[in-house]
Amino acid sequence: MNRVYNFSAGPACLPEEILKECEREMLCFSNTGQSVMEMSHRSKDFKPIIEDAESMVRKLMNVPKNYKVLFLQGGASTQFACVPLNLKGKHGNAAYVNTGVWSKKAIAEAKKYIRTDVVASSEDKNFSYIPKIEKIAGDYDYAYICLNNTIKGTKWNYIPDTGNIPLVADISSCILSEPLDVSKFALIFAGAQKNLGPAGVTLVIIRDDLIKECSADFMPTMLSYKTHADENSLYNTPPCYSIYVVGKVLHWIEKNGGADGMKKRNEEKAKLLYDYIDNSSFYFSPIEKDSRSLMNVPFLTSEGDEAKADALHKKFVKDAELHGLVNLAGHRTVGGMRASIYNAMPLDGVKKLIEFMGNFAKENACNE
């Protein structure tokens, strides 16, 4: 069976050469006589795997020495609770910027543990833009943003000034898609299943001073950053195989130019797709140009009738699958189409998508 171009928002496509490496090492990794799936996480065989993954994160992201790199479980959604539980301090208050579904989920979770102020929002225009914030100020234990919004297809093109307030960011869908100054953040986290590897492991990078002892009566052991920092992510059995694949993907990123190389690669893909959409009379982007994501590109047809548009979008997704272009349906809360073009998506995949889009438009009575 031929490989398809997978435009899923996550789990997303992985570099084919990495999948082949994993295939070769499935039964026997590095002359150990066993698969990584079978290894004890405390064995001498697994230790270099997790140490290499951490080393590569630090190298590719220029992580300062006073930050801890953790490989955790529970997905990025678990971090919605971990952040307020661990960072709640003397103010008992946090500032959130609401830019879409994942921000709203984070806010709802945080409200269980800390007072939350929504200091800015783009909900007034259906989250089609990133708010302009001069500065976040006030008595806050931390401020929180979602750097790239997978569902709506927006991204921050600047880092808001928070002064001495620790800045937290969910970077699940844009990690290592371009350079990022880690030192501007107190804590960043990312689910691996978009740009880093398979589902199952969540990367957390946290400044040392935020790792603190929490009351046993207050903090679940497994949600404490100190629990995992003290044990170098080995307090309990970690997602060993996912960490192993993440390490391989990180080496692939390095080989392809690091974060700078990924930015060049991703900008080329995104420009090609956005330019086609913007010059089309059949498709349009609902996102303001200065807030568009490099990773997630939602688009709609210009059909005005809602029922007809919905039927046309479903036809697009179904026909695209027949051409080896899969997972192009927009999120269920948004509809339309969405192409997620993460690091591993090759330029040829975007070119084939555009070719299909042109043919689909012509076949559906559009003067393309």
Side-chain angles (χ1 to χ4, degrees), residues 40-42 46 50 71-74 221-224 227-240 243:
S40 165
H41 60 295
R42 303 194 189 282
F46 183 70
I50 193 169
F71 298 100
L72 306 182
Q73 300 180 65
T221 300
M222 286 298 292
L223 298 187
S224 167
T227 296
H228 302 287
D230 285 351
E231 299 295 330
N232 296 313
S233 302
L234 296 172
Y235 174 79
N236 70 327
T237 307
C240 297
I243 293 169

PDB file of all heavy atoms in Angstrom, residues 40-42 46 50 71-74 221-224 227-240 243:
ATOM      1  N   SER A  40      13.306  -2.075  30.657  1.00  0.00           N
ATOM      2  CA  SER A  40      13.080  -1.418  31.938  1.00  0.00           C
ATOM      3  C   SER A  40      13.528   0.036  31.828  1.00  0.00           C
ATOM      4  O   SER A  40      14.605   0.322  31.295  1.00  0.00           O
ATOM      5  CB  SER A  40      13.877  -2.105  33.044  1.00  0.00           C
ATOM      6  OG  SER A  40      13.934  -1.282  34.201  1.00  0.00           O
ATOM      7  N   HIS A  41      12.700   0.929  32.339  1.00  0.00           N
ATOM      8  CA  HIS A  41      13.060   2.349  32.289  1.00  0.00           C
ATOM      9  C   HIS A  41      14.235   2.668  33.211  1.00  0.00           C
ATOM     10  O   HIS A  41      14.825   3.735  33.112  1.00  0.00           O
ATOM     11  CB  HIS A  41      11.856   3.223  32.644  1.00  0.00           C
ATOM     12  CG  HIS A  41      11.290   2.986  34.011  1.00  0.00           C
ATOM     13  ND1 HIS A  41      10.708   1.798  34.371  1.00  0.00           N
ATOM     14  CD2 HIS A  41      11.226   3.788  35.107  1.00  0.00           C
ATOM     15  CE1 HIS A  41      10.295   1.878  35.626  1.00  0.00           C
ATOM     16  NE2 HIS A  41      10.607   3.066  36.102  1.00  0.00           N
ATOM     17  N   ARG A  42      14.593   1.739  34.083  1.00  0.00           N
ATOM     18  CA  ARG A  42      15.727   1.965  34.982  1.00  0.00           C
ATOM     19  C   ARG A  42      16.978   1.195  34.546  1.00  0.00           C
ATOM     20  O   ARG A  42      17.965   1.131  35.279  1.00  0.00           O
ATOM     21  CB  ARG A  42      15.347   1.574  36.414  1.00  0.00           C
ATOM     22  CG  ARG A  42      14.120   2.329  36.919  1.00  0.00           C
ATOM     23  CD  ARG A  42      13.936   2.220  38.408  1.00  0.00           C
ATOM     24  NE  ARG A  42      12.659   2.776  38.826  1.00  0.00           N
ATOM     25  CZ  ARG A  42      12.395   4.073  38.950  1.00  0.00           C
ATOM     26  NH1 ARG A  42      13.356   4.949  38.688  1.00  0.00           N
ATOM     27  NH2 ARG A  42      11.206   4.499  39.327  1.00  0.00           N
ATOM     28  N   PHE A  46      18.167   1.806  28.665  1.00  0.00           N
ATOM     29  CA  PHE A  46      17.244   2.921  28.411  1.00  0.00           C
ATOM     30  C   PHE A  46      17.834   4.271  28.819  1.00  0.00           C
ATOM     31  O   PHE A  46      17.507   5.300  28.233  1.00  0.00           O
ATOM     32  CB  PHE A  46      15.908   2.710  29.133  1.00  0.00           C
ATOM     33  CG  PHE A  46      14.906   3.798  28.827  1.00  0.00           C
ATOM     34  CD1 PHE A  46      14.328   3.888  27.563  1.00  0.00           C
ATOM     35  CD2 PHE A  46      14.573   4.752  29.781  1.00  0.00           C
ATOM     36  CE1 PHE A  46      13.424   4.914  27.266  1.00  0.00           C
ATOM     37  CE2 PHE A  46      13.680   5.768  29.495  1.00  0.00           C
ATOM     38  CZ  PHE A  46      13.094   5.842  28.230  1.00  0.00           C
ATOM     39  N   ILE A  50      16.908   8.266  27.073  1.00  0.00           N
ATOM     40  CA  ILE A  50      16.242   9.437  27.649  1.00  0.00           C
ATOM     41  C   ILE A  50      17.234  10.588  27.841  1.00  0.00           C
ATOM     42  O   ILE A  50      16.886  11.761  27.665  1.00  0.00           O
ATOM     43  CB  ILE A  50      15.517   9.077  28.971  1.00  0.00           C
ATOM     44  CG1 ILE A  50      14.569  10.224  29.370  1.00  0.00           C
ATOM     45  CG2 ILE A  50      16.488   8.732  30.084  1.00  0.00           C
ATOM     46  CD1 ILE A  50      13.617   9.860  30.492  1.00  0.00           C
ATOM     47  N   PHE A  71       9.975  14.776  30.804  1.00  0.00           N
ATOM     48  CA  PHE A  71       9.156  13.985  29.894  1.00  0.00           C
ATOM     49  C   PHE A  71       8.029  13.362  30.718  1.00  0.00           C
ATOM     50  O   PHE A  71       8.256  12.436  31.506  1.00  0.00           O
ATOM     51  CB  PHE A  71       9.995  12.898  29.213  1.00  0.00           C
ATOM     52  CG  PHE A  71      11.100  13.445  28.358  1.00  0.00           C
ATOM     53  CD1 PHE A  71      12.416  13.490  28.823  1.00  0.00           C
ATOM     54  CD2 PHE A  71      10.841  13.937  27.083  1.00  0.00           C
ATOM     55  CE1 PHE A  71      13.435  13.998  28.037  1.00  0.00           C
ATOM     56  CE2 PHE A  71      11.858  14.443  26.279  1.00  0.00           C
ATOM     57  CZ  PHE A  71      13.160  14.472  26.761  1.00  0.00           C
ATOM     58  N   LEU A  72       6.823  13.882  30.541  1.00  0.00           N
ATOM     59  CA  LEU A  72       5.692  13.502  31.383  1.00  0.00           C
ATOM     60  C   LEU A  72       4.607  12.804  30.572  1.00  0.00           C
ATOM     61  O   LEU A  72       4.705  12.672  29.354  1.00  0.00           O
ATOM     62  CB  LEU A  72       5.126  14.740  32.084  1.00  0.00           C
ATOM     63  CG  LEU A  72       6.132  15.574  32.886  1.00  0.00           C
ATOM     64  CD1 LEU A  72       5.432  16.731  33.572  1.00  0.00           C
ATOM     65  CD2 LEU A  72       6.877  14.712  33.903  1.00  0.00           C
ATOM     66  N   GLN A  73       3.571  12.376  31.286  1.00  0.00           N
ATOM     67  CA  GLN A  73       2.446  11.714  30.645  1.00  0.00           C
ATOM     68  C   GLN A  73       1.174  12.529  30.847  1.00  0.00           C
ATOM     69  O   GLN A  73       1.175  13.554  31.513  1.00  0.00           O
ATOM     70  CB  GLN A  73       2.285  10.307  31.225  1.00  0.00           C
ATOM     71  CG  GLN A  73       3.512   9.433  31.018  1.00  0.00           C
ATOM     72  CD  GLN A  73       3.358   8.046  31.599  1.00  0.00           C
ATOM     73  OE1 GLN A  73       2.530   7.260  31.159  1.00  0.00           O
ATOM     74  NE2 GLN A  73       4.165   7.733  32.596  1.00  0.00           N
ATOM     75  N   GLY A  74       0.093  12.082  30.235  1.00  0.00           N
ATOM     76  CA  GLY A  74      -1.187  12.750  30.443  1.00  0.00           C
ATOM     77  C   GLY A  74      -1.541  13.758  29.382  1.00  0.00           C
ATOM     78  O   GLY A  74      -2.606  14.388  29.447  1.00  0.00           O
ATOM     79  N   THR A 221       0.546  13.582  43.902  1.00  0.00           N
ATOM     80  CA  THR A 221       1.965  13.300  43.705  1.00  0.00           C
ATOM     81  C   THR A 221       2.367  13.361  42.237  1.00  0.00           C
ATOM     82  O   THR A 221       3.388  13.955  41.876  1.00  0.00           O
ATOM     83  CB  THR A 221       2.319  11.915  44.274  1.00  0.00           C
ATOM     84  OG1 THR A 221       2.020  11.908  45.670  1.00  0.00           O
ATOM     85  CG2 THR A 221       3.788  11.592  44.064  1.00  0.00           C
ATOM     86  N   MET A 222       1.558  12.756  41.374  1.00  0.00           N
ATOM     87  CA  MET A 222       1.912  12.656  39.962  1.00  0.00           C
ATOM     88  C   MET A 222       1.744  13.978  39.210  1.00  0.00           C
ATOM     89  O   MET A 222       2.194  14.104  38.074  1.00  0.00           O
ATOM     90  CB  MET A 222       1.088  11.570  39.278  1.00  0.00           C
ATOM     91  CG  MET A 222       1.526  10.159  39.647  1.00  0.00           C
ATOM     92  SD  MET A 222       3.229   9.809  39.137  1.00  0.00           S
ATOM     93  CE  MET A 222       3.050   9.809  37.364  1.00  0.00           C
ATOM     94  N   LEU A 223       1.107  14.964  39.815  1.00  0.00           N
ATOM     95  CA  LEU A 223       0.933  16.265  39.156  1.00  0.00           C
ATOM     96  C   LEU A 223       1.936  17.300  39.643  1.00  0.00           C
ATOM     97  O   LEU A 223       1.916  18.449  39.192  1.00  0.00           O
ATOM     98  CB  LEU A 223      -0.494  16.783  39.365  1.00  0.00           C
ATOM     99  CG  LEU A 223      -1.621  15.913  38.790  1.00  0.00           C
ATOM    100  CD1 LEU A 223      -2.959  16.636  38.922  1.00  0.00           C
ATOM    101  CD2 LEU A 223      -1.362  15.548  37.337  1.00  0.00           C
ATOM    102  N   SER A 224       2.816  16.899  40.536  1.00  0.00           N
ATOM    103  CA  SER A 224       3.841  17.802  41.062  1.00  0.00           C
ATOM    104  C   SER A 224       5.073  17.789  40.158  1.00  0.00           C
ATOM    105  O   SER A 224       5.639  16.731  39.881  1.00  0.00           O
ATOM    106  CB  SER A 224       4.244  17.378  42.466  1.00  0.00           C
ATOM    107  OG  SER A 224       5.423  18.050  42.871  1.00  0.00           O
ATOM    108  N   THR A 227       8.081  16.198  41.876  1.00  0.00           N
ATOM    109  CA  THR A 227       8.127  14.733  41.843  1.00  0.00           C
ATOM    110  C   THR A 227       8.979  14.248  40.682  1.00  0.00           C
ATOM    111  O   THR A 227       9.864  13.392  40.838  1.00  0.00           O
ATOM    112  CB  THR A 227       6.711  14.148  41.708  1.00  0.00           C
ATOM    113  OG1 THR A 227       5.943  14.474  42.876  1.00  0.00           O
ATOM    114  CG2 THR A 227       6.747  12.637  41.527  1.00  0.00           C
ATOM    115  N   HIS A 228       8.729  14.806  39.518  1.00  0.00           N
ATOM    116  CA  HIS A 228       9.396  14.336  38.307  1.00  0.00           C
ATOM    117  C   HIS A 228      10.779  14.964  38.127  1.00  0.00           C
ATOM    118  O   HIS A 228      11.687  14.318  37.603  1.00  0.00           O
ATOM    119  CB  HIS A 228       8.504  14.618  37.103  1.00  0.00           C
ATOM    120  CG  HIS A 228       7.159  13.972  37.230  1.00  0.00           C
ATOM    121  ND1 HIS A 228       6.983  12.617  37.099  1.00  0.00           N
ATOM    122  CD2 HIS A 228       5.936  14.497  37.532  1.00  0.00           C
ATOM    123  CE1 HIS A 228       5.696  12.325  37.281  1.00  0.00           C
ATOM    124  NE2 HIS A 228       5.043  13.442  37.550  1.00  0.00           N
ATOM    125  N   ALA A 229      10.928  16.204  38.573  1.00  0.00           N
ATOM    126  CA  ALA A 229      12.237  16.856  38.470  1.00  0.00           C
ATOM    127  C   ALA A 229      13.260  16.150  39.359  1.00  0.00           C
ATOM    128  O   ALA A 229      14.417  15.940  38.957  1.00  0.00           O
ATOM    129  CB  ALA A 229      12.117  18.327  38.850  1.00  0.00           C
ATOM    130  N   ASP A 230      12.842  15.766  40.560  1.00  0.00           N
ATOM    131  CA  ASP A 230      13.754  15.100  41.490  1.00  0.00           C
ATOM    132  C   ASP A 230      14.218  13.738  40.969  1.00  0.00           C
ATOM    133  O   ASP A 230      15.304  13.266  41.306  1.00  0.00           O
ATOM    134  CB  ASP A 230      13.074  14.906  42.846  1.00  0.00           C
ATOM    135  CG  ASP A 230      12.979  16.199  43.637  1.00  0.00           C
ATOM    136  OD1 ASP A 230      13.587  17.206  43.204  1.00  0.00           O
ATOM    137  OD2 ASP A 230      12.287  16.208  44.674  1.00  0.00           O
ATOM    138  N   GLU A 231      13.388  13.100  40.147  1.00  0.00           N
ATOM    139  CA  GLU A 231      13.687  11.754  39.655  1.00  0.00           C
ATOM    140  C   GLU A 231      14.056  11.732  38.174  1.00  0.00           C
ATOM    141  O   GLU A 231      14.075  10.668  37.551  1.00  0.00           O
ATOM    142  CB  GLU A 231      12.486  10.831  39.914  1.00  0.00           C
ATOM    143  CG  GLU A 231      12.114  10.664  41.372  1.00  0.00           C
ATOM    144  CD  GLU A 231      13.197   9.967  42.172  1.00  0.00           C
ATOM    145  OE1 GLU A 231      13.934   9.130  41.575  1.00  0.00           O
ATOM    146  OE2 GLU A 231      13.322  10.242  43.385  1.00  0.00           O
ATOM    147  N   ASN A 232      14.330  12.907  37.605  1.00  0.00           N
ATOM    148  CA  ASN A 232      14.730  12.991  36.191  1.00  0.00           C
ATOM    149  C   ASN A 232      13.751  12.271  35.260  1.00  0.00           C
ATOM    150  O   ASN A 232      14.138  11.502  34.375  1.00  0.00           O
ATOM    151  CB  ASN A 232      16.146  12.427  36.003  1.00  0.00           C
ATOM    152  CG  ASN A 232      17.185  13.237  36.738  1.00  0.00           C
ATOM    153  OD1 ASN A 232      17.203  14.467  36.661  1.00  0.00           O
ATOM    154  ND2 ASN A 232      18.045  12.563  37.478  1.00  0.00           N
ATOM    155  N   SER A 233      12.468  12.523  35.504  1.00  0.00           N
ATOM    156  CA  SER A 233      11.357  11.974  34.696  1.00  0.00           C
ATOM    157  C   SER A 233      11.198  10.466  34.838  1.00  0.00           C
ATOM    158  O   SER A 233      10.511   9.830  34.037  1.00  0.00           O
ATOM    159  CB  SER A 233      11.521  12.321  33.209  1.00  0.00           C
ATOM    160  OG  SER A 233      11.579  13.717  33.004  1.00  0.00           O
ATOM    161  N   LEU A 234      11.814   9.885  35.881  1.00  0.00           N
ATOM    162  CA  LEU A 234      11.749   8.436  36.073  1.00  0.00           C
ATOM    163  C   LEU A 234      11.112   8.060  37.409  1.00  0.00           C
ATOM    164  O   LEU A 234      11.412   7.009  37.984  1.00  0.00           O
ATOM    165  CB  LEU A 234      13.156   7.833  35.985  1.00  0.00           C
ATOM    166  CG  LEU A 234      13.855   7.953  34.623  1.00  0.00           C
ATOM    167  CD1 LEU A 234      15.303   7.490  34.723  1.00  0.00           C
ATOM    168  CD2 LEU A 234      13.101   7.148  33.567  1.00  0.00           C
ATOM    169  N   TYR A 235      10.220   8.902  37.920  1.00  0.00           N
ATOM    170  CA  TYR A 235       9.538   8.578  39.179  1.00  0.00           C
ATOM    171  C   TYR A 235       8.735   7.294  39.034  1.00  0.00           C
ATOM    172  O   TYR A 235       8.728   6.434  39.898  1.00  0.00           O
ATOM    173  CB  TYR A 235       8.622   9.728  39.593  1.00  0.00           C
ATOM    174  CG  TYR A 235       7.777   9.426  40.798  1.00  0.00           C
ATOM    175  CD1 TYR A 235       8.323   9.502  42.083  1.00  0.00           C
ATOM    176  CD2 TYR A 235       6.440   9.042  40.672  1.00  0.00           C
ATOM    177  CE1 TYR A 235       7.550   9.203  43.204  1.00  0.00           C
ATOM    178  CE2 TYR A 235       5.667   8.744  41.780  1.00  0.00           C
ATOM    179  CZ  TYR A 235       6.224   8.828  43.038  1.00  0.00           C
ATOM    180  OH  TYR A 235       5.467   8.527  44.149  1.00  0.00           O
ATOM    181  N   ASN A 236       8.028   7.194  37.908  1.00  0.00           N
ATOM    182  CA  ASN A 236       7.335   5.952  37.564  1.00  0.00           C
ATOM    183  C   ASN A 236       7.716   5.595  36.133  1.00  0.00           C
ATOM    184  O   ASN A 236       8.561   6.253  35.525  1.00  0.00           O
ATOM    185  CB  ASN A 236       5.823   6.095  37.722  1.00  0.00           C
ATOM    186  CG  ASN A 236       5.223   7.015  36.667  1.00  0.00           C
ATOM    187  OD1 ASN A 236       5.867   7.969  36.235  1.00  0.00           O
ATOM    188  ND2 ASN A 236       4.003   6.730  36.238  1.00  0.00           N
ATOM    189  N   THR A 237       7.120   4.552  35.581  1.00  0.00           N
ATOM    190  CA  THR A 237       7.476   4.144  34.223  1.00  0.00           C
ATOM    191  C   THR A 237       7.047   5.202  33.224  1.00  0.00           C
ATOM    192  O   THR A 237       5.856   5.471  33.080  1.00  0.00           O
ATOM    193  CB  THR A 237       6.812   2.808  33.861  1.00  0.00           C
ATOM    194  OG1 THR A 237       7.116   1.836  34.868  1.00  0.00           O
ATOM    195  CG2 THR A 237       7.313   2.316  32.513  1.00  0.00           C
ATOM    196  N   PRO A 238       7.985   5.821  32.533  1.00  0.00           N
ATOM    197  CA  PRO A 238       7.628   6.829  31.542  1.00  0.00           C
ATOM    198  C   PRO A 238       7.211   6.156  30.228  1.00  0.00           C
ATOM    199  O   PRO A 238       7.370   4.935  30.071  1.00  0.00           O
ATOM    200  CB  PRO A 238       8.929   7.611  31.363  1.00  0.00           C
ATOM    201  CG  PRO A 238       9.989   6.572  31.581  1.00  0.00           C
ATOM    202  CD  PRO A 238       9.446   5.637  32.629  1.00  0.00           C
ATOM    203  N   PRO A 239       6.709   6.922  29.279  1.00  0.00           N
ATOM    204  CA  PRO A 239       6.381   6.360  27.959  1.00  0.00           C
ATOM    205  C   PRO A 239       7.660   6.131  27.158  1.00  0.00           C
ATOM    206  O   PRO A 239       8.049   6.944  26.308  1.00  0.00           O
ATOM    207  CB  PRO A 239       5.483   7.438  27.333  1.00  0.00           C
ATOM    208  CG  PRO A 239       5.891   8.704  28.007  1.00  0.00           C
ATOM    209  CD  PRO A 239       6.315   8.330  29.396  1.00  0.00           C
ATOM    210  N   CYS A 240       8.335   5.037  27.460  1.00  0.00           N
ATOM    211  CA  CYS A 240       9.693   4.791  26.956  1.00  0.00           C
ATOM    212  C   CYS A 240       9.781   4.854  25.438  1.00  0.00           C
ATOM    213  O   CYS A 240      10.684   5.500  24.877  1.00  0.00           O
ATOM    214  CB  CYS A 240      10.196   3.437  27.442  1.00  0.00           C
ATOM    215  SG  CYS A 240      10.339   3.310  29.235  1.00  0.00           S
ATOM    216  N   ILE A 243       9.422   8.364  23.982  1.00  0.00           N
ATOM    217  CA  ILE A 243      10.629   9.155  24.222  1.00  0.00           C
ATOM    218  C   ILE A 243      11.724   8.757  23.231  1.00  0.00           C
ATOM    219  O   ILE A 243      12.453   9.608  22.706  1.00  0.00           O
ATOM    220  CB  ILE A 243      11.102   8.983  25.679  1.00  0.00           C
ATOM    221  CG1 ILE A 243      10.078   9.606  26.636  1.00  0.00           C
ATOM    222  CG2 ILE A 243      12.478   9.607  25.889  1.00  0.00           C
ATOM    223  CD1 ILE A 243      10.313   9.259  28.104  1.00  0.00           C
TER     224      ILE A 243
END
